[in-house]
Amino acid sequence: MPARTSAFHWDAEVRPGLRVAFTAVGAGNLALHVGDDPDTVRGNRRRLESAMGVPEDALHFMSQTHSDRVAVVDRAPQGAPDADAMVSPDGSAPLAVLVADCVPIVLADAPVADGGTGATAVVHAGRAGVGNGIVGHTVRMIRSHGARDVAAWIGPSVCGSCYEVPEDMMQAMAEMLPQAASRTPRGTPALDLPAAVAVQLARVGVRVDSPAGHGTGCTVENPELYSHRRDPGAGRIAGLVWRA
């Protein structure tokens, strides 16, 4: 488990030469849209890239708006695409997805040496994203580039006990995904977005490889993670995938 001061909540080589990580507050806020000084955020991003071992400004970020859009990117960043998922068809582009309660998902195909494409992807799946099918859209996009053996890693997000919502909202989601229905410890209605995402991945034949030996964590309950619900205007952690 990373130390408390680590930039990473979880970090591992998941396939030969391929790393997946989810940051902690030790990495600092990585989002430009929450009111922090832009130069400070850019400095946090540069330090993160150094910790990852990738070149400065190599990391791809998105302009996330809870859409169902999937961007296909190449190695050189060309600005932040207006999308809530990104696919790197050959896995050469380091990718980042920002969250502070929504579910960050990383996808990866088998490496070329094992007959795969090496393709990678990241997905931002909040309540809207779960509802509009961003998970399935991204899986179909990565497969359209030849990926066949896709695995997923689900990062820290608000848990089903902490994401309190109105009853009608829970019921509407449960009609589509019964596993999304949950309750808080007080018995009030809630949504379990990680469970919903796991079901959506299973429906499209993607296995989830859980971070070994380390719980993904609830962003609301864990002060080492940013949470908008706990602290409105909080920073953002990142889900990451890159070639080491």
Side-chain angles (χ1 to χ4, degrees):
M1 183 183 300
R4 291 177 62 87
T5 57
S6 172
F8 301 111
H9 174 72
W10 184 81
D11 169 33
E13 184 177 35
V14 297
R15 286 178 172 168
L18 182 71
R19 299 197 74 86
V20 170
F22 300 98
T23 67
V25 295
N29 171 39
L30 299 168
L32 289 165
H33 67 284
V34 296
D36 284 359
D37 176 68
D39 287 339
T40 299
V41 175
R42 293 186 185 101
N44 292 339
R45 291 182 175 187
R46 286 193 294 271
R47 285 188 290 275
L48 177 61
E49 288 169 329
S50 178
M52 295 166 62
V54 302
E56 187 174 311
D57 296 327
L59 193 54
H60 291 248
F61 292 88
M62 299 176 280
S63 176
Q64 300 170 189
T65 58
H66 299 279
S67 71
D68 63 352
R69 291 184 290 274
V70 182
V72 178
V73 300
D74 58 22
R75 184 186 297 258
Q78 300 292 325
D82 182 1
D84 283 85
M86 288 186 292
V87 172
S88 173
D90 61 1
S92 63
L95 305 178
V97 53
L98 300 177
V99 299
D101 288 328
C102 295
V103 184
I105 308 158
V106 173
L107 303 173
D109 188 25
V112 173
D114 294 334
T117 64
T120 57
V122 291
V123 188
H124 168 236
R127 178 180 58 82
V130 169
N132 67 28
I134 187 67
V135 173
H137 295 336
T138 310
V139 172
R140 285 188 288 275
M141 180 64 77
I142 197 171
R143 285 177 173 159
S144 75
H145 289 273
R148 293 293 177 268
D149 183 18
V150 181
W153 292 263
I154 299 175
S157 67
V158 59
C159 73
S161 296
C162 291
Y163 189 11
E164 185 176 19
V165 297
E167 182 76 30
D168 59 349
M169 185 179 290
M170 184 191 76
Q171 294 296 339
M173 181 71 74
E175 289 180 6
M176 177 178 63
L177 287 163
Q179 296 84 351
S182 186
R183 294 281 170 181
T184 70
R186 301 185 308 279
T188 55
L191 290 175
D192 190 334
L193 294 184
V197 165
V199 170
Q200 290 183 317
L201 288 165
R203 285 179 176 178
V204 292
V206 173
R207 71 180 185 278
V208 176
D209 289 345
S210 298
H214 196 280
T216 57
C218 172
T219 47
V220 174
E221 296 172 338
N222 190 341
E224 295 182 20
L225 302 167
Y226 288 118
S227 168
H228 179 74
R229 291 181 73 87
R230 184 186 67 234
D231 181 18
R236 299 293 186 269
I237 61 172
L240 307 163
V241 60
W242 74 100
R243 297 283 170 198

